[in-house]
Amino acid sequence: MSETANTNGAFTVPPDQDFNTMSFQGSIQQVLQENVGKYVIVEFLIGTYTLTSRQGLLYYVGTQFLVLYDEFESRFVVCDIFSVKFVTFLDTRSGRSIPPLDLTAVPGDASTDVPAVEAGTLTPSQAAYAHATRRTPATRL
């Protein structure tokens, strides 16, 4: 993006920020900025007990907010970065999320097998739905 304000049609965001500094190394802002353009599901803690989620393409990351682009509704969603609790990156090419690193898993164990999906067959929203339906009821709030 440019040195001045970034624009896409009628939507404007501030200039890109550099999160590769000592104060931001290892921060969620740095991780998110390095993954701009990926399809994500972001879960936010609202109040004390309520989790809500938004999904879309990660469009921009600032120090206090992030912007998601919902390509199906053709809208930008500006989100408070301080209420972000979980970010799930989806591999929309295969329709499944990037598998977590599990050092205790045994290769070939049925609990670690991910069903094969033909590459390029799912849209981002279908991948998000597939991810959400694979979650066990114990992990849903």
Side-chain angles (χ1 to χ4, degrees), residues 42-109:
V42 183
E43 295 179 74
F44 303 89
L45 181 63
I46 308 299
T48 310
Y49 301 104
T50 307
L51 278 178
T52 187
S53 66
R54 297 289 183 265
Q55 64 187 25
L57 293 171
L58 185 56
Y59 180 79
Y60 177 82
V61 179
T63 56
Q64 298 181 10
F65 68 96
L66 61 95
V67 179
L68 298 175
Y69 178 66
D70 182 347
E71 62 186 338
F72 304 105
E73 298 291 330
S74 297
R75 63 182 174 189
F76 294 89
V77 181
V78 179
C79 311
D80 174 30
I81 204 157
F82 300 110
S83 60
V84 171
K85 296 302 169 199
F86 306 101
V87 179
T88 304
F89 294 89
L90 297 178
D91 179 3
T92 57
R93 295 168 296 150
S94 65
R96 57 182 185 249
S97 60
I98 299 168
L101 179 61
D102 183 359
L103 300 176
T104 63
V106 177
D109 181 7

Coordinates of all heavy atoms in Angstrom, one line a residue, residues 42-109:
V42 N -12.3 -14.1 12.9 CA -11.8 -13.4 14.1 C -12.8 -13.5 15.2 O -14.0 -13.1 14.9 CB -11.4 -11.9 13.8 CG1 -10.8 -11.3 15.0 CG2 -10.5 -11.8 12.6
E43 N -12.5 -13.9 16.3 CA -13.4 -14.0 17.5 C -13.0 -12.9 18.5 O -11.9 -12.7 18.8 CB -13.3 -15.4 18.1 CG -13.8 -16.5 17.1 CD -13.8 -17.8 17.8 OE1 -14.6 -18.1 18.6 OE2 -12.9 -18.6 17.4
F44 N -14.1 -12.2 18.9 CA -13.9 -11.1 19.8 C -14.6 -11.4 21.1 O -15.7 -11.9 21.1 CB -14.6 -9.8 19.2 CG -14.0 -9.4 17.9 CD1 -14.5 -9.9 16.7 CD2 -12.9 -8.6 17.8 CE1 -14.0 -9.6 15.5 CE2 -12.4 -8.2 16.6 CZ -13.0 -8.7 15.4
L45 N -14.0 -10.9 22.2 CA -14.7 -11.0 23.5 C -15.5 -9.7 23.8 O -14.9 -8.7 23.8 CB -13.7 -11.2 24.7 CG -14.2 -11.4 26.1 CD1 -15.1 -12.6 26.1 CD2 -13.1 -11.5 27.1
I46 N -16.8 -9.8 23.9 CA -17.6 -8.7 24.1 C -18.1 -8.8 25.6 O -18.8 -9.8 25.9 CB -18.8 -8.6 23.2 CG1 -18.4 -8.7 21.7 CG2 -19.7 -7.4 23.4 CD1 -17.4 -7.6 21.3
G47 N -17.8 -7.8 26.4 CA -18.1 -7.9 27.8 C -17.3 -9.0 28.5 O -16.1 -9.1 28.2
T48 N -17.9 -9.7 29.4 CA -17.2 -10.7 30.2 C -17.3 -12.1 29.6 O -16.3 -12.9 29.7 CB -17.7 -10.7 31.6 OG1 -17.8 -9.4 32.1 CG2 -16.9 -11.5 32.6
Y49 N -18.4 -12.5 29.0 CA -18.6 -13.9 28.6 C -19.0 -14.1 27.2 O -19.1 -15.3 26.8 CB -19.8 -14.5 29.5 CG -19.5 -14.4 31.0 CD1 -20.2 -13.5 31.8 CD2 -18.7 -15.3 31.6 CE1 -19.9 -13.5 33.1 CE2 -18.4 -15.3 32.9 CZ -19.1 -14.4 33.7 OH -18.8 -14.3 35.0
T50 N -19.2 -13.1 26.4 CA -19.7 -13.3 25.1 C -18.7 -13.2 24.0 O -17.9 -12.2 23.9 CB -20.8 -12.2 24.8 OG1 -21.8 -12.2 25.8 CG2 -21.5 -12.4 23.4
L51 N -18.6 -14.3 23.2 CA -17.7 -14.3 22.1 C -18.5 -14.1 20.8 O -19.6 -14.7 20.7 CB -16.9 -15.7 21.9 CG -15.7 -15.9 22.8 CD1 -15.1 -17.2 22.5 CD2 -14.6 -14.8 22.5
T52 N -18.1 -13.3 19.9 CA -18.7 -13.1 18.7 C -17.7 -13.1 17.6 O -16.5 -12.9 17.9 CB -19.5 -11.7 18.6 OG1 -20.3 -11.7 17.4 CG2 -18.6 -10.5 18.7
S53 N -18.0 -13.5 16.4 CA -17.0 -13.7 15.4 C -17.4 -12.9 14.1 O -18.6 -12.7 13.8 CB -16.8 -15.1 15.0 OG -17.9 -15.7 14.5
R54 N -16.4 -12.5 13.4 CA -16.5 -11.9 12.1 C -15.5 -12.6 11.1 O -14.5 -13.1 11.6 CB -16.2 -10.4 12.1 CG -17.1 -9.6 13.0 CD -18.5 -9.5 12.3 NE -19.4 -8.6 13.1 CZ -20.2 -9.1 14.1 NH1 -20.3 -10.4 14.3 NH2 -21.0 -8.2 14.7
Q55 N -15.9 -12.7 9.9 CA -15.0 -13.3 8.9 C -14.9 -12.5 7.7 O -15.7 -11.7 7.3 CB -15.5 -14.7 8.6 CG -16.8 -14.8 7.9 CD -17.3 -16.2 7.7 OE1 -17.0 -17.1 8.5 NE2 -18.1 -16.4 6.7
G56 N -13.7 -12.7 7.0 CA -13.5 -12.0 5.8 C -12.0 -12.0 5.4 O -11.2 -12.6 6.1
L57 N -11.7 -11.3 4.4 CA -10.3 -11.1 4.0 C -9.7 -10.1 4.9 O -10.2 -9.0 5.1 CB -10.2 -10.7 2.6 CG -10.6 -11.7 1.5 CD1 -10.7 -11.0 0.1 CD2 -9.7 -12.9 1.5
L58 N -8.5 -10.4 5.5 CA -7.8 -9.4 6.3 C -7.3 -8.3 5.4 O -6.4 -8.6 4.6 CB -6.7 -10.2 7.1 CG -5.9 -9.4 8.1 CD1 -6.8 -8.8 9.1 CD2 -4.8 -10.3 8.8
Y59 N -7.8 -7.1 5.5 CA -7.5 -6.1 4.6 C -6.5 -5.1 5.1 O -5.6 -4.6 4.4 CB -8.8 -5.3 4.3 CG -8.7 -4.2 3.4 CD1 -8.7 -4.4 2.0 CD2 -8.6 -2.9 3.8 CE1 -8.5 -3.3 1.1 CE2 -8.5 -1.8 2.9 CZ -8.5 -2.1 1.6 OH -8.4 -1.0 0.7
Y60 N -6.5 -4.8 6.4 CA -5.6 -3.8 7.0 C -5.4 -4.0 8.5 O -6.4 -4.5 9.1 CB -6.1 -2.4 6.7 CG -5.3 -1.3 7.4 CD1 -4.1 -0.8 6.7 CD2 -5.5 -0.8 8.6 CE1 -3.3 0.2 7.3 CE2 -4.8 0.2 9.2 CZ -3.6 0.7 8.5 OH -2.8 1.6 9.0
V61 N -4.2 -3.7 9.0 CA -3.9 -3.9 10.4 C -3.3 -2.6 10.9 O -2.3 -2.1 10.4 CB -3.0 -5.1 10.7 CG1 -2.7 -5.2 12.2 CG2 -3.6 -6.3 10.2
G62 N -3.9 -2.0 11.9 CA -3.4 -0.8 12.6 C -3.0 -1.1 14.0 O -3.2 -2.3 14.5
T63 N -2.5 -0.2 14.8 CA -2.2 -0.4 16.2 C -3.4 -0.7 17.1 O -3.3 -1.4 18.0 CB -1.4 0.8 16.8 OG1 -2.1 1.9 16.6 CG2 0.0 0.9 16.1
Q64 N -4.5 -0.1 16.7 CA -5.7 -0.2 17.5 C -6.9 -0.9 16.9 O -7.9 -1.1 17.5 CB -6.1 1.2 18.1 CG -5.0 1.8 18.9 CD -5.5 3.2 19.4 OE1 -6.6 3.6 19.3 NE2 -4.5 3.9 20.0
F65 N -6.8 -1.2 15.6 CA -7.9 -1.8 14.9 C -7.4 -2.6 13.7 O -6.3 -2.5 13.3 CB -8.9 -0.7 14.4 CG -8.3 0.2 13.3 CD1 -8.6 -0.1 11.9 CD2 -7.5 1.3 13.6 CE1 -8.0 0.7 10.9 CE2 -7.0 2.1 12.6 CZ -7.2 1.8 11.2
L66 N -8.3 -3.4 13.2 CA -8.1 -4.2 12.0 C -9.3 -4.0 11.1 O -10.4 -3.7 11.6 CB -7.7 -5.6 12.3 CG -8.8 -6.5 12.9 CD1 -9.6 -7.3 11.9 CD2 -8.1 -7.5 13.9
V67 N -9.1 -4.3 9.8 CA -10.2 -4.1 8.9 C -10.3 -5.5 8.1 O -9.3 -6.0 7.6 CB -9.9 -3.0 7.8 CG1 -11.1 -2.9 6.8 CG2 -9.8 -1.7 8.5
L68 N -11.5 -6.0 8.1 CA -11.9 -7.2 7.3 C -12.7 -6.7 6.1 O -13.5 -5.8 6.2 CB -12.7 -8.1 8.2 CG -12.0 -8.7 9.4 CD1 -13.0 -9.6 10.2 CD2 -10.8 -9.5 9.1
Y69 N -12.5 -7.4 5.0 CA -13.3 -7.1 3.8 C -14.2 -8.4 3.6 O -13.7 -9.5 3.4 CB -12.5 -6.9 2.6 CG -13.4 -6.7 1.4 CD1 -14.2 -5.5 1.3 CD2 -13.4 -7.6 0.3 CE1 -15.0 -5.4 0.2 CE2 -14.2 -7.4 -0.8 CZ -15.0 -6.3 -0.9 OH -15.8 -6.1 -1.9
D70 N -15.5 -8.1 3.7 CA -16.5 -9.2 3.4 C -16.9 -9.1 2.0 O -17.6 -8.3 1.6 CB -17.7 -9.0 4.3 CG -18.8 -10.0 4.1 OD1 -18.7 -10.8 3.2 OD2 -19.7 -10.1 5.0
E71 N -16.3 -10.0 1.2 CA -16.4 -9.9 -0.3 C -17.8 -10.3 -0.7 O -18.2 -9.9 -1.8 CB -15.4 -10.8 -1.0 CG -15.4 -12.3 -0.6 CD -14.3 -13.0 -1.3 OE1 -13.7 -12.6 -2.2 OE2 -14.0 -14.1 -0.7
F72 N -18.6 -11.0 0.1 CA -19.9 -11.5 -0.3 C -20.9 -10.4 -0.1 O -21.9 -10.3 -0.8 CB -20.2 -12.8 0.4 CG -19.2 -13.8 0.1 CD1 -18.3 -14.2 1.0 CD2 -19.2 -14.4 -1.2 CE1 -17.3 -15.1 0.7 CE2 -18.2 -15.4 -1.5 CZ -17.3 -15.7 -0.5
E73 N -20.7 -9.6 0.9 CA -21.6 -8.5 1.2 C -21.0 -7.2 0.7 O -21.7 -6.1 0.8 CB -21.8 -8.3 2.7 CG -22.5 -9.5 3.4 CD -23.9 -9.7 2.9 OE1 -24.6 -8.7 2.7 OE2 -24.4 -10.8 2.9
S74 N -19.8 -7.2 0.1 CA -19.1 -6.0 -0.5 C -19.0 -4.9 0.6 O -19.4 -3.8 0.3 CB -19.8 -5.6 -1.7 OG -19.7 -6.5 -2.7
R75 N -18.5 -5.3 1.8 CA -18.4 -4.2 2.8 C -17.1 -4.5 3.6 O -16.6 -5.6 3.7 CB -19.6 -4.3 3.7 CG -19.8 -5.6 4.5 CD -21.0 -5.6 5.3 NE -21.2 -6.9 5.9 CZ -22.3 -7.3 6.5 NH1 -23.2 -6.5 6.7 NH2 -22.3 -8.5 7.0
F76 N -16.7 -3.4 4.2 CA -15.5 -3.4 5.1 C -16.0 -3.3 6.5 O -17.0 -2.6 6.8 CB -14.6 -2.1 4.8 CG -14.0 -2.2 3.4 CD1 -14.7 -1.6 2.4 CD2 -12.8 -2.7 3.2 CE1 -14.1 -1.6 1.1 CE2 -12.2 -2.8 2.0 CZ -12.9 -2.2 0.9
V77 N -15.4 -4.1 7.4 CA -15.7 -4.1 8.8 C -14.5 -3.7 9.6 O -13.4 -4.4 9.5 CB -16.2 -5.5 9.2 CG1 -16.6 -5.5 10.7 CG2 -17.3 -6.0 8.4
V78 N -14.6 -2.6 10.3 CA -13.5 -2.1 11.2 C -13.7 -2.7 12.6 O -14.8 -2.6 13.1 CB -13.5 -0.6 11.2 CG1 -12.3 -0.1 12.1 CG2 -13.3 0.0 9.8
C79 N -12.7 -3.4 13.1 CA -12.8 -4.1 14.4 C -11.7 -3.6 15.4 O -10.6 -3.4 15.0 CB -12.5 -5.6 14.1 SG -13.4 -6.3 12.7
D80 N -12.1 -3.6 16.6 CA -11.2 -3.2 17.7 C -10.2 -4.4 18.0 O -10.6 -5.5 18.3 CB -12.1 -3.0 19.0 CG -11.2 -2.8 20.2 OD1 -10.1 -2.2 20.1 OD2 -11.7 -3.1 21.3
I81 N -9.0 -4.1 17.9 CA -8.0 -5.1 18.0 C -7.8 -5.6 19.5 O -7.4 -6.7 19.7 CB -6.6 -4.7 17.4 CG1 -5.8 -5.9 17.0 CG2 -5.8 -3.8 18.4 CD1 -4.7 -5.6 16.0
F82 N -8.2 -4.8 20.4 CA -8.0 -5.1 21.8 C -9.0 -6.2 22.3 O -8.8 -6.8 23.4 CB -8.0 -3.9 22.7 CG -6.9 -3.0 22.3 CD1 -7.1 -1.7 21.7 CD2 -5.5 -3.3 22.5 CE1 -6.1 -0.9 21.3 CE2 -4.5 -2.4 22.1 CZ -4.8 -1.2 21.5
S83 N -10.1 -6.4 21.6 CA -11.0 -7.4 22.0 C -10.8 -8.7 21.2 O -11.6 -9.7 21.5 CB -12.5 -6.9 21.9 OG -12.7 -6.5 20.5
V84 N -9.9 -8.8 20.4 CA -9.6 -10.0 19.6 C -9.0 -11.1 20.6 O -8.1 -10.8 21.3 CB -8.6 -9.7 18.5 CG1 -8.1 -11.0 17.8 CG2 -9.2 -8.8 17.4
K85 N -9.6 -12.2 20.5 CA -9.1 -13.3 21.4 C -8.6 -14.5 20.5 O -7.6 -15.1 20.9 CB -10.3 -13.9 22.3 CG -10.7 -12.8 23.3 CD -9.6 -12.4 24.2 CE -9.9 -11.2 25.0 NZ -8.8 -10.5 25.5
F86 N -9.2 -14.7 19.4 CA -8.8 -15.8 18.5 C -8.8 -15.4 17.1 O -9.8 -14.7 16.7 CB -9.6 -17.1 18.7 CG -9.7 -17.5 20.1 CD1 -10.8 -17.2 20.9 CD2 -8.7 -18.3 20.7 CE1 -11.0 -17.7 22.2 CE2 -8.8 -18.7 22.0 CZ -9.9 -18.4 22.8
V87 N -7.9 -15.8 16.3 CA -7.9 -15.6 14.8 C -7.6 -17.0 14.2 O -6.6 -17.6 14.4 CB -6.8 -14.6 14.4 CG1 -6.9 -14.4 12.9 CG2 -7.0 -13.3 15.1
T88 N -8.5 -17.4 13.3 CA -8.4 -18.6 12.6 C -8.1 -18.3 11.1 O -8.9 -17.6 10.5 CB -9.7 -19.5 12.7 OG1 -10.0 -19.7 14.1 CG2 -9.5 -20.8 11.9
F89 N -7.0 -18.8 10.6 CA -6.6 -18.5 9.2 C -7.1 -19.8 8.4 O -6.8 -20.9 8.8 CB -5.1 -18.4 9.1 CG -4.6 -17.2 9.7 CD1 -4.2 -17.2 11.1 CD2 -4.4 -16.0 9.0 CE1 -3.7 -16.1 11.7 CE2 -4.0 -14.8 9.7 CZ -3.6 -14.9 11.0
L90 N -7.9 -19.5 7.4 CA -8.4 -20.6 6.6 C -7.6 -20.7 5.3 O -7.3 -19.8 4.6 CB -9.9 -20.3 6.3 CG -10.8 -20.3 7.5 CD1 -12.2 -20.0 7.0 CD2 -10.8 -21.6 8.2
D91 N -7.4 -22.0 5.0 CA -6.8 -22.3 3.7 C -7.9 -22.5 2.7 O -8.5 -23.6 2.6 CB -5.9 -23.6 3.8 CG -5.3 -24.0 2.5 OD1 -5.4 -23.3 1.5 OD2 -4.6 -25.0 2.5
T92 N -8.3 -21.5 2.0 CA -9.5 -21.6 1.1 C -9.2 -22.4 -0.1 O -10.1 -22.8 -0.8 CB -9.9 -20.2 0.7 OG1 -8.9 -19.5 0.0 CG2 -10.4 -19.4 1.9
R93 N -7.9 -22.7 -0.4 CA -7.6 -23.5 -1.6 C -8.1 -25.0 -1.3 O -8.5 -25.6 -2.2 CB -6.1 -23.5 -1.9 CG -5.6 -22.2 -2.3 CD -4.1 -22.1 -2.3 NE -3.7 -22.3 -0.9 CZ -2.6 -22.9 -0.6 NH1 -1.7 -23.3 -1.5 NH2 -2.2 -23.0 0.7
S94 N -8.0 -25.4 -0.1 CA -8.4 -26.8 0.2 C -9.6 -26.9 1.0 O -10.1 -28.0 1.2 CB -7.2 -27.5 0.9 OG -7.0 -26.9 2.2
G95 N -10.1 -25.8 1.6 CA -11.4 -25.9 2.3 C -11.2 -26.3 3.8 O -12.1 -26.7 4.4
R96 N -9.9 -26.2 4.3 CA -9.7 -26.6 5.7 C -8.8 -25.6 6.3 O -8.0 -25.0 5.6 CB -9.2 -28.0 5.8 CG -7.9 -28.3 5.0 CD -7.5 -29.7 5.1 NE -6.3 -29.9 4.5 CZ -6.1 -30.6 3.4 NH1 -7.1 -31.2 2.8 NH2 -4.9 -30.7 2.9
S97 N -8.8 -25.5 7.6 CA -7.9 -24.6 8.3 C -6.5 -25.2 8.4 O -6.4 -26.4 8.2 CB -8.5 -24.3 9.7 OG -8.6 -25.5 10.5
I98 N -5.6 -24.4 8.6 CA -4.2 -24.9 8.7 C -4.2 -25.7 10.0 O -4.6 -25.3 11.1 CB -3.2 -23.7 8.9 CG1 -3.3 -22.9 7.6 CG2 -1.8 -24.2 9.1 CD1 -2.6 -21.5 7.7
P99 N -3.7 -27.0 9.9 CA -3.8 -27.8 11.1 C -2.9 -27.3 12.2 O -1.8 -26.8 12.0 CB -3.2 -29.2 10.5 CG -2.5 -28.9 9.3 CD -3.1 -27.6 8.8
P100 N -3.4 -27.5 13.5 CA -2.6 -27.0 14.6 C -1.4 -28.0 14.8 O -1.4 -29.1 14.4 CB -3.5 -27.1 15.8 CG -4.5 -28.2 15.4 CD -4.6 -28.1 13.9
L101 N -0.3 -27.5 15.4 CA 0.9 -28.3 15.7 C 0.5 -29.1 17.0 O 0.3 -28.5 18.0 CB 2.1 -27.3 16.0 CG 3.4 -28.0 16.4 CD1 3.8 -29.0 15.2 CD2 4.4 -27.0 16.6
D102 N 0.5 -30.4 16.8 CA 0.1 -31.3 17.9 C 1.3 -32.3 18.1 O 1.4 -33.2 17.3 CB -1.2 -32.0 17.7 CG -1.6 -32.9 18.9 OD1 -0.8 -32.9 19.9 OD2 -2.7 -33.5 18.8
L103 N 2.2 -32.0 19.0 CA 3.3 -32.9 19.2 C 3.0 -34.3 19.8 O 3.8 -35.2 19.8 CB 4.3 -32.2 20.1 CG 4.8 -30.8 19.6 CD1 5.8 -30.2 20.6 CD2 5.5 -31.0 18.2
T104 N 1.8 -34.4 20.3 CA 1.4 -35.7 20.9 C 0.6 -36.6 19.9 O 0.3 -37.7 20.2 CB 0.5 -35.5 22.2 OG1 -0.7 -34.8 21.8 CG2 1.3 -34.7 23.2
A105 N 0.3 -36.0 18.8 CA -0.5 -36.8 17.8 C 0.3 -37.9 17.2 O 1.4 -37.8 17.0 CB -1.1 -35.9 16.7
V106 N -0.4 -39.0 17.0 CA 0.2 -40.2 16.3 C -0.2 -40.2 14.9 O -1.4 -40.2 14.6 CB -0.2 -41.5 17.0 CG1 0.3 -42.7 16.3 CG2 0.1 -41.5 18.5
P107 N 0.7 -40.2 13.9 CA 0.4 -40.2 12.5 C -0.5 -41.4 12.2 O -0.3 -42.5 12.7 CB 1.7 -40.3 11.8 CG 2.7 -39.8 12.8 CD 2.2 -40.1 14.1
G108 N -1.6 -41.2 11.4 CA -2.5 -42.2 11.1 C -3.6 -42.4 12.1 O -4.6 -43.1 11.8
D109 N -3.6 -41.7 13.2 CA -4.6 -41.8 14.2 C -5.9 -41.1 13.6 O -5.7 -40.0 13.0 CB -4.2 -41.0 15.5 CG -5.3 -41.0 16.6 OD1 -6.3 -41.7 16.4 OD2 -5.1 -40.4 17.6

